[in-house]
């Protein structure tokens, strides 16, 4: 158990819909990262927040947005969903914002299926 | 993004040591080498990381070549639970994102 929790575990929805994925980082961790894992693209970084502020952005679609709240939990919002958005979404957390020196701890993921 | 090269797959036997290689020929002096693994149906899990010298922890050892252009993850005594995809990641000090390649799929035979 990494200490990172994600809800829900599974999500089935239809094209065009909007969903929210939630992540609670390990106690004391200030950074939250979101990754997407699909069969064709592998594991890809989406976005990072540090203490409530966006710090790094990857190949995140404009239909996707995220935020980190004062209690440090984070939400990833996916809108106008397409079939290709079906994937595993992982949240990770780390103590601070020190990049290469730090370990990221991953949650169990949310499996999204868009029908 | 910094790219590492790993074999697509490797196979070993239970209770034997496993050496997983990784090439990172474009590494700079301040880049770290991180290893993560992903067990079936789970999120990635941190294994070990290092900068210049060899590193040991309860899970594994990391041997970094003198020129730092390659490294080897060593599992001293593989168990069935070590069957996973192992990712070698080159990460600069200021970088925040982990860039995952295809990794090495490790199969452990009983």
């Amino acid at each position: 158990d990494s200490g990172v929790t994600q809800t829900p575990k599974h999500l089935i929805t239809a094209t065009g819909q909007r969903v929210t994925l939630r992540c609670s980082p390990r106690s004391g961790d200030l950074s939250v990262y979101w990754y997407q894992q699909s069969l064709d693209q592998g594991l890809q970084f989406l976005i990072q927040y540090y203490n409530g502020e966006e710090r790094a952005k990857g190949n995140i679609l404009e239909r996707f947005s995220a935020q980190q709240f004062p209690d440090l939990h984070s939400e990833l919002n996916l809108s106008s969903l397409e079939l290709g958005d079906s994937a595993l979404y992982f949240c990770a957390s780390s103590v601070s914002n020190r990049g290469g020196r730090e370990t990221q701890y991953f949650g169990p993921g949310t499996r999204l299926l868009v029908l | 993004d910094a790219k590492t090269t790993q074999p697509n797959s490797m196979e070993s036997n239970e209770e034997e040591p496993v050496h997983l290689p990784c090439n990172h020929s474009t590494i700079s002096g301040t880049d770290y080498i991180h290893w993560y693994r992903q067990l079936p149906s789970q999120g990635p899990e941190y294994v070990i990381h290092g900068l210049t010298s060899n590193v040991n922890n309860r899970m594994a050892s990391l041997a970094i070549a003198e020129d730092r252009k390659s490294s080897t993850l060593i599992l001293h005594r593989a168990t069935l639970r070590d069957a996973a995809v192992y990712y070698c990641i080159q990460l600069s000090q200021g970088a925040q994102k982990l860039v995952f390649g295809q990794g090495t799929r490790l199969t452990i035979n009983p």
Side-chain angles (χ1 to χ4, degrees):
Chain A
D1 183 359
S2 66
V4 177
T5 60
Q6 291 186 248
T7 56
K9 285 187 179 178
H10 303 276
L11 200 47
I12 302 175
T13 188
T15 54
Q17 296 298 305
R18 173 189 168 95
V19 297
T20 297
L21 312 184
R22 182 188 167 103
C23 168
S24 293
R26 292 188 325 152
S27 177
D29 283 1
L30 298 178
S31 274
V32 169
Y33 310 78
W34 286 97
Y35 292 84
Q36 178 193 56
Q37 186 171 32
S38 60
L39 282 174
D40 55 345
Q41 297 288 331
L43 263 164
Q44 290 200 93
F45 168 77
L46 294 178
I47 198 164
Q48 179 214 0
Y49 278 81
Y50 171 70
N51 206 18
E53 292 188 5
E54 181 185 307
R55 280 303 176 99
K57 215 166 184 176
N59 296 326
I60 187 167
L61 299 172
E62 283 192 16
R63 300 183 285 107
F64 296 2
S65 65
Q67 54 184 327
Q68 187 180 27
F69 295 87
D71 67 352
L72 300 177
H73 91 271
S74 178
E75 292 181 356
L76 179 66
N77 300 297
L78 316 176
S79 61
S80 303
L81 284 167
E82 302 175 359
L83 296 179
D85 297 328
S86 297
L88 270 166
Y89 291 85
F90 290 106
C91 167
S93 72
S94 68
V95 171
S96 64
N97 193 36
R98 297 187 303 163
R101 301 177 196 177
E102 289 199 315
T103 297
Q104 292 185 24
Y105 297 90
F106 283 77
T110 292
R111 185 176 294 277
L112 173 67
L113 180 60
V114 182
L115 299 175
Chain B
D1 293 332
K3 187 165 173 62
T4 61
T5 306
Q6 301 176 250
N8 287 334
S9 62
M10 289 185 66
E11 202 169 323
S12 185
N13 297 318
E14 202 175 6
E15 298 187 4
E16 289 184 358
V18 180
H19 290 236
L20 296 164
C22 178
N23 287 322
H24 26 83
S25 57
T26 63
I27 197 166
S28 72
T30 56
D31 289 353
Y32 287 80
I33 295 300
H34 285 244
W35 284 82
Y36 283 77
R37 71 181 185 181
Q38 188 172 20
L39 279 65
S41 303
Q42 294 190 27
E45 174 187 33
Y46 168 78
V47 178
I48 200 166
H49 78 280
L51 183 60
T52 54
S53 54
N54 296 344
V55 185
N56 299 295
N57 66 20
R58 64 173 181 81
M59 288 181 71
S61 296
L62 176 59
I64 301 174
E66 203 167 325
D67 64 4
R68 301 187 69 236
K69 293 186 185 301
S70 66
S71 61
T72 302
L73 178 71
I74 303 165
L75 307 179
H76 295 285
R77 202 160 166 263
T79 68
L80 295 178
R81 197 196 170 275
D82 292 320
V85 178
Y86 286 77
Y87 298 98
C88 169
I89 299 169
Q90 179 181 326
L91 194 61
S92 65
Q93 278 196 24
Q96 306 306 321
K97 61 180 182 179
L98 296 174
V99 178
F100 291 86
Q102 294 305 306
T104 297
R105 183 173 297 277
L106 176 64
T107 301
I108 303 296
N109 300 313

